[in-house]
Amino acid sequence: MTTRAPRETVLANAVDLARAAAEEVALPGQVGEHRGVVVEADRLLTHVFDALVPGYRGWHWAVTVARPPRGRTATVCEVQLLPGEGALLAPEWVPWSERLRPGDVGPGDVLPYVEDDERLEQGYEATGEDADQLALYELGLGRARVLSPEGRAQALTRWYEGDRGPFAPSAKAAAAPCSTCGFFMKLAGSPRTVFGVCANEWSPDDGRVVSMDHGCGAHSETRGPEPASLWQPSEPVVDERDMEVLATAPVAPAAKAADGGATAPADNQPDAGDQVSRGTPAPAENQPDAEDQARAENQPDVEDQAPADVTAEIAGEQETESAADGVADADAVAGPGAATGTAEDGSADRA
């Protein structure tokens, strides 16, 4: 670590002088063994001694001595406590603007003026919702500098990620956010969309800026009555395996005559054709009216109706055919010129 200059015997031999100078500066017992010398320049040497100062591990005493040209006496220049290899050192010096942390400024402390602060801009440069009125600035009542977009972004980010944002333990345990609390007062300008001030004296955040998604246990609507729903829907019932019958209608059996589908007239009752051929008008009750015709047109076909009992239909058709055969035989025996009635004078009317 040290070297000895062969030509500087006067300075190299001044060990006792250097030790006395170190002991004068240090406390008793803090100057250790001599470790050598370091050549700084011509007629300039530094004597090195072990430092026995508590807490200064790896440090040493450095005593610099010198002599004038052609001088035979050493002179002490300075005495220092310097770190050596492996010494415990303090961190590098950091400017105050970088060392300062929130909360370091106490009562009576004043920060120096920063002219080129990126967080601020001139008041007349501010535009938008957060700008001051220009009239106030012209009257000398406005602020010389206001928050710049960069400064506003830093502040809002710091608030949102701090203890008054949504990531705080109280916000995670809260039942409802601050945006639904009656004590939440919104800020002015653009921050009103995210931040406000708590006005609840029972809240731990009273008088502080909180985000809308922050929360605490002093919410104005905590455990309040929940509004009843105006409509109570029931569970839907879906059963596709069952069929519900809404209405039933009886189906009359369709009777057809053997000669083409015309229904045979009743026994001994003249049909409409016989009455017309005899000059007797058909009775009015046998004439179909407009409602009967419309009803007949709207009646479903036999194919559309539900199937009836086959045995009953066959028996009905046989009875109809027998009645029609009996009427036809009676008309054949009487003939077309048969008398239909007798007048009071004994003369017979013919059709």
Side-chain angles (χ1 to χ4, degrees), residues 77-153:
C77 297
E78 62 180 3
V79 178
Q80 296 180 352
L81 183 62
L82 299 178
E85 296 179 1
L88 182 62
L89 302 177
E92 296 182 1
W93 184 84
V94 180
W96 69 266
S97 58
E98 300 179 10
R99 289 198 314 269
L100 195 64
R101 292 293 179 265
D104 292 346
V105 180
D109 295 340
V110 179
L111 296 179
Y113 178 80
V114 180
E115 184 177 1
D116 55 349
D117 195 339
E118 63 175 3
R119 301 170 300 173
L120 300 175
E121 64 182 1
Q122 299 298 324
Y124 57 82
E125 295 178 348
T127 58
E129 188 178 359
D130 300 307
D132 291 344
Q133 296 294 333
L134 184 60
L136 297 178
Y137 179 80
E138 293 176 349
L139 293 175
L141 302 178
R143 295 176 291 173
R145 294 191 295 178
V146 295
L147 273 177
S148 64
E150 178 65 23
R152 187 161 44 250

Side-chain angles (χ1 to χ4, degrees), residues 183-199:
F183 299 103
F184 182 76
M185 301 173 59
K186 292 184 177 181
L187 295 180
S190 59
R192 67 180 288 111
T193 58
V194 183
F195 295 98
V197 178
C198 179

Side-chain angles (χ1 to χ4, degrees), residues 137-185:
Y137 179 80
E138 293 176 349
L139 293 175
L141 302 178
R143 295 176 291 173
R145 294 191 295 178
V146 295
L147 273 177
S148 64
E150 178 65 23
R152 187 161 44 250
Q154 292 181 8
L156 299 182
T157 303
R158 184 173 62 254
W159 294 349
Y160 195 79
E161 296 178 352
D163 296 337
R164 305 298 181 269
F167 308 108
S170 60
K172 296 180 179 180
C178 292
S179 58
T180 59
C181 182
F183 299 103
F184 182 76
M185 301 173 59

Side-chain angles (χ1 to χ4, degrees), residues 322-335:
S322 300
D325 293 341
V327 172
D329 294 341
D331 291 341
V333 173

